Amino acid sequence: MDIVVSGIRPTGNLHLGNYFGALRNFIKMQEENQCFFFIADYHSLTTHPTPADLHGNVKSVLVDYLAAGLDPEKATLYLQSDLPETAELYLFLNMNAYLGELERVTSFKDKARTQPDNINAGLLTYPTLMAADIIIHKAHKVPVGKDQEQHLEMTRTFANRFNRLYKTEYFPEPVAYNFGEQLIKIPGLDGSTKMGKSEGEGNAIFLNDDPSVIRKKVMKAVTDSGPTEPGQPKPQPIENLFNLMKALSKPETLRFFEEAYDQCNIRYGDMKKQLAEDAIAFTEPFREKIESLRSNDEYLRKVALMGKEKAHESAAKTIREVREIIGFKPF
Ligand code: TYM
């Protein structure tokens, strides 16, 4: 049985990018693997959230995990900060991670550009913390979206380096996973190639968005005046709409608009109306469950506690063994 580990940073409710890139796969994988899914709340400290925001965002992700069908009886569902063993492994891995390679990571370079006043050490060592999350359970597979590919490669580098340094084969090589298919990237509504919370208002559709909000966001999506001759390649914002439709709508709906595009008689207003209705129908079941789970604090507390205990069992074993391998031995 494979060991599967993955996490999501708590920045608020989850959006369709998180769902299709990660959460949907978590739900499929929990049936046949030993799964550890967590909320990456240590990681979110790199942006200095207020205590109230941090707590609220963690709750939103926990609720969304459950609303989407993560079963706390099948998978281990926990908060990263409930597993301090992760922080200890992070420390060990940092001793063996080099400034040059950390500075070259794309996500670090992006963050350094977008938050020049807060280029902290946590940002630089983000990939070592992520590697610790994964190898603390000796994972084989990591369901993530395309944007996490480079981080996974770093994880393999750190795991292999540890094995080499201590002449052991202790850590397996974890791979990014999407059921034998390419990792995916869900585009945003603002013409950018990635749906994401930090990409700006209106770019993302959240699992708990009201129908009126979804309609407004989709109708505002960037388009152009349409193709003028058959076979013309699609500009990025148009390609994005088609990709969203591919994820959300029925194949015949997609085909209808593809043909209209090819014949140069596409009406983007109609396409967006259809896409909005399909997004509303898709998110409907989540919205209802999110609503009822949010007010059930007792259940959420129980789930978090159960996850913490199960995760600790696995992590404590790894840390015990890693300490021995490194040479921290009891007298
Ligand atoms: P995060 O919180 O940015 O995103 C969570 C998951 O959602 C996926 N995702 C997307 N997939 C497709 N299209 C999109 N537009 C899109 N936006 C987000 C991400 O690929 C990710 O799978 N570093 C991680 C969190 C993390 C983690 C880990 C993941 C920390 N430790 C250990 C796996 C294993 C992150 O920031 O993801």
Side-chain angles (χ1 to χ4, degrees), residues 138-211:
K138 303 178 77 177
H140 305 105
K141 288 179 179 163
V142 188
V144 283
K146 179 117 185 101
D147 59 312
Q148 297 299 317
E149 214 166 23
Q150 195 184 22
H151 288 152
L152 255 293
E153 205 170 310
M154 297 289 288
T155 301
R156 282 191 291 278
T157 301
F158 297 137
N160 286 331
R161 196 175 288 162
F162 179 96
N163 288 348
R164 230 176 311 117
L165 184 65
Y166 295 107
K167 301 188 177 45
T168 167
E169 295 194 354
Y170 187 70
F171 288 119
E173 262 198 15
V175 292
Y177 185 76
N178 181 25
F179 291 90
E181 292 183 21
Q182 297 251 323
L183 301 186
I184 67 162
K185 181 155 87 168
I186 296 291
L189 288 169
D190 60 357
S192 69
T193 57
K194 188 182 155 194
M195 182 173 285
K197 164 111 178 172
S198 49
E199 321 298 315
E201 223 8 65
N203 168 54
I205 297 174
F206 295 93
L207 297 182
N208 66 328
D209 272 349
D210 276 334

Side-chain angles (χ1 to χ4, degrees), residues 5-9 15 17-18 20-22 38 40 43 80 126 129-130 133-134 142-148 151-152 184-187 193-196:
V5 172
S6 199
I8 298 185
R9 254 175 321 134
H15 51 69
N18 298 132
F20 285 104
F38 66 94
H43 268 118
Q80 188 185 32
Y126 191 107
L129 180 54
M130 180 154 163
D133 291 327
I134 295 167
V142 188
V144 283
K146 179 117 185 101
D147 59 312
Q148 297 299 317
H151 288 152
L152 255 293
I184 67 162
K185 181 155 87 168
I186 296 291
T193 57
K194 188 182 155 194
M195 182 173 285

Side-chain angles (χ1 to χ4, degrees), residues 122-136:
L123 267 186
L124 182 70
T125 55
Y126 191 107
T128 49
L129 180 54
M130 180 154 163
D133 291 327
I134 295 167
I135 68 177
I136 192 80

Side-chain angles (χ1 to χ4, degrees), residues 199-261:
E199 321 298 315
E201 223 8 65
N203 168 54
I205 297 174
F206 295 93
L207 297 182
N208 66 328
D209 272 349
D210 276 334
S212 60
V213 173
I214 294 180
R215 276 190 201 103
K216 212 180 283 163
K217 284 181 181 173
V218 175
M219 294 317 285
K220 268 200 192 153
V222 183
T223 51
D224 57 15
S225 51
T228 47
E229 44 187 279
Q232 229 169 303
K234 299 184 184 94
Q236 191 64 55
I238 306 300
E239 181 77 29
N240 289 355
L241 281 186
F242 276 97
N243 282 335
L244 278 170
M245 197 165 235
K246 199 169 173 183
L248 290 169
S249 307
K250 293 200 183 94
E252 55 267 32
T253 308
L254 178 68
R255 208 158 42 236
F256 173 85
F257 288 102
E258 288 278 10
E259 274 166 22
Y261 185 90

